[in-house]
Amino acid sequence: MIEVQHLSKTFYVRRRESGLKNAAAALFKKREPVPALQDISFSVADGEMVGYIGPNGAGKSTTIKVMTGVLTPDNGICRIDGRTPWKERKAHVARIGVVFGQRSQLWWDLPVNDSFDLIRDIYRVPEDRYRKNVRELSEMLSLGEILRTPARQLSLGQRMRCEIAASLLHDPKVLFLDEPTIGLDAASKLAVREFIRSLNRTRGTTILLTTHDMQDIEALTRRIILIGKGRILLDGPLEDLKETLSPVRTVIASGREKAGALSLPEGVSLLSRQGEGNVRLTLSADTRLSPVPALIESLSRQMELSDLSVEQASMDEVVLSLYKQYKI
């Protein structure tokens, strides 16, 4: 579905100090090259949902702009559903949908319905299919009366739901989501995430998600691609990454102690202990030395367990560890 090979893109900028003299002098200086993408390659299968992550300035948005046909790369190949985006723009944009969290495709002073009608005409969507899509998307995203409201009067959460619906009116096979939940409250985020999951599951839409919200990544994707300084640094399953970077678990066990002192396996340390007889233990366990099932078995021999929970490092902590590892 998506095939990217050896893609490169460099921008040229003029840098200067503040002040009128420096501004005049900068006109005669050569522009400095700023590599945005450096020989990146990856592929995304039909129906796959992938998280594309990295710090600000890593090259995420530049990649999306190349894949949507907005930018032409300096070198490399990009094929999406068999088409080269910047060479076959009309045919390409008819088969993709794009949502930018900080940009709107809705007309500001028009009711959302009118914006939808204009998008229908731009994409030449047949009337029966358009009505069917509006009905289904309105139901799935709980749009209702929102459709008759001017975009400028919508809350951010309402507008983002409408933006996502607008990007899907023409039944795209590929959906690019760039910060789709930025600035949303908890309820709106959950609604958008559930819709994206449903869209991928029911329609088989291929989705590339770029975001700084690691809860979005954890909730929606099974694979991540990490980009930093214009280079692909890591590409693999999310769970494997979490296991590799964060093998330590926090285990909280409650219950009545049996006779004898508590003995902990190798790699397990006691963080806190509350109570006597009936106790609540908080343990730190390195699963490389003591897998969780083995720890539970050890605890069950020494306690009458009434409650037990195992907590993994948050996705934010995992990604921060990645950034430190790759020095980005």
Side-chain angles (χ1 to χ4, degrees):
M1 174 59 70
I2 298 176
E3 191 69 35
V4 173
Q5 297 178 13
H6 309 296
L7 212 61
S8 297
K9 179 67 177 178
T10 298
F11 297 105
Y12 292 87
V13 300
R14 284 192 173 93
R15 303 187 191 276
R16 67 175 180 85
E17 300 296 332
S18 61
L20 185 59
K21 288 184 178 179
N22 290 321
L27 296 175
F28 302 97
K29 288 184 178 179
K30 290 185 178 180
R31 293 181 299 172
E32 298 179 20
V34 178
L37 301 176
Q38 302 185 63
D39 195 35
I40 70 168
S41 299
F42 63 86
S43 61
V44 179
D46 191 11
E48 191 174 9
M49 187 154 49
V50 177
Y52 193 51
I53 66 172
N56 291 328
K60 302 186 301 297
S61 294
T62 301
T63 308
I64 296 297
K65 288 175 182 177
V66 169
M67 290 194 291
T68 54
V70 175
L71 288 177
T72 300
D74 299 330
N75 297 293
I77 296 170
C78 176
R79 290 194 181 92
I80 299 178
D81 201 18
R83 299 183 180 89
T84 301
W86 57 93
K87 292 181 179 178
E88 305 166 81
R89 288 193 64 182
K90 286 187 177 180
H92 176 61
V93 298
R95 304 300 292 153
I96 67 169
V98 185
V99 177
F100 289 104
Q102 302 184 54
R103 296 178 180 85
S104 178
Q105 58 189 317
L106 303 175
W107 278 259
W108 198 239
D109 292 312
L110 296 181
V112 175
N113 263 333
D114 286 354
S115 291
F116 282 9
D117 289 345
L118 287 167
I119 292 170
R120 172 201 60 196
D121 294 340
I122 290 171
Y123 285 99
R124 299 177 183 176
V125 182
E127 185 65 25
D128 56 342
R129 189 173 64 158
Y130 169 72
R131 294 299 171 194
K132 175 176 176 289
N133 285 346
V134 170
R135 185 172 61 253
E136 290 181 354
L137 291 168
S138 296
E139 182 178 343
M140 295 172 71
L141 286 166
S142 304
L143 299 182
E145 294 299 317
I146 296 174
L147 294 178
R148 295 190 284 181
T149 306
R152 60 182 169 81
Q153 295 179 354
L154 300 178
S155 70
L156 182 57
Q158 291 171 331
R159 184 175 65 80
M160 283 310 304
R161 297 206 305 272
C162 292
E163 295 281 358
I164 292 173
S167 70
L168 295 168
L169 292 173
H170 57 296
D171 291 323
K173 296 181 67 176
V174 183
L175 181 62
F176 297 100
L177 298 174
D178 189 5
E179 299 282 0
T181 64
I182 187 171
L184 301 190
D185 59 39
S188 297
K189 282 188 178 185
L190 291 174
V192 168
R193 287 172 191 160
E194 180 54 38
F195 173 75
I196 294 171
R197 271 194 297 264
S198 175
L199 177 71
N200 177 255
R201 183 174 62 251
T202 60
R203 296 192 182 186
T205 306
T206 304
I207 297 173
L208 190 68
L209 170 67
T210 70
T211 180
H212 290 293
D213 189 330
M214 292 303 109
Q215 290 183 340
D216 286 349
I217 294 293
E218 194 166 22
L220 295 172
T221 66
R222 294 183 179 178
R223 171 189 169 198
I224 66 165
I225 299 173
L226 174 68
I227 184 172
K229 299 178 181 179
R231 299 182 183 276
I232 298 297
L233 303 176
L234 184 146
D235 183 353
L238 179 59
E239 286 304 316
D240 289 357
L241 174 68
K242 291 168 73 173
E243 287 293 333
T244 301
L245 292 176
S246 184
V248 177
R249 302 288 186 275
T250 300
V251 178
I252 302 174
S254 300
R256 178 177 292 277
E257 282 186 305
K258 298 179 181 178
L262 183 66
S263 175
L264 297 176
E266 182 184 6
V268 180
S269 58
L270 179 65
L271 298 180
S272 69
R273 173 191 176 101
Q274 298 174 333
E276 293 293 335
N278 283 316
V279 297
R280 185 175 188 269
L281 306 177
T282 302
L283 309 170
S284 175
D286 186 335
T287 57
R288 293 168 297 186
L289 300 174
S290 290
V292 171
L295 174 58
I296 294 174
E297 182 183 357
S298 174
L299 289 173
S300 64
R301 289 197 302 266
Q302 303 176 71
M303 299 174 62
E304 295 176 6
L305 291 172
S306 59
D307 188 35
L308 186 138
S309 65
V310 180
E311 299 175 1
Q312 194 173 22
S314 70
M315 192 61 198
D316 286 317
E317 292 173 318
V318 171
V319 171
L320 180 59
S321 177
L322 265 181
Y323 288 179
K324 288 180 179 178
Q325 179 179 330
Y326 288 102
K327 298 179 181 179
I328 56 175

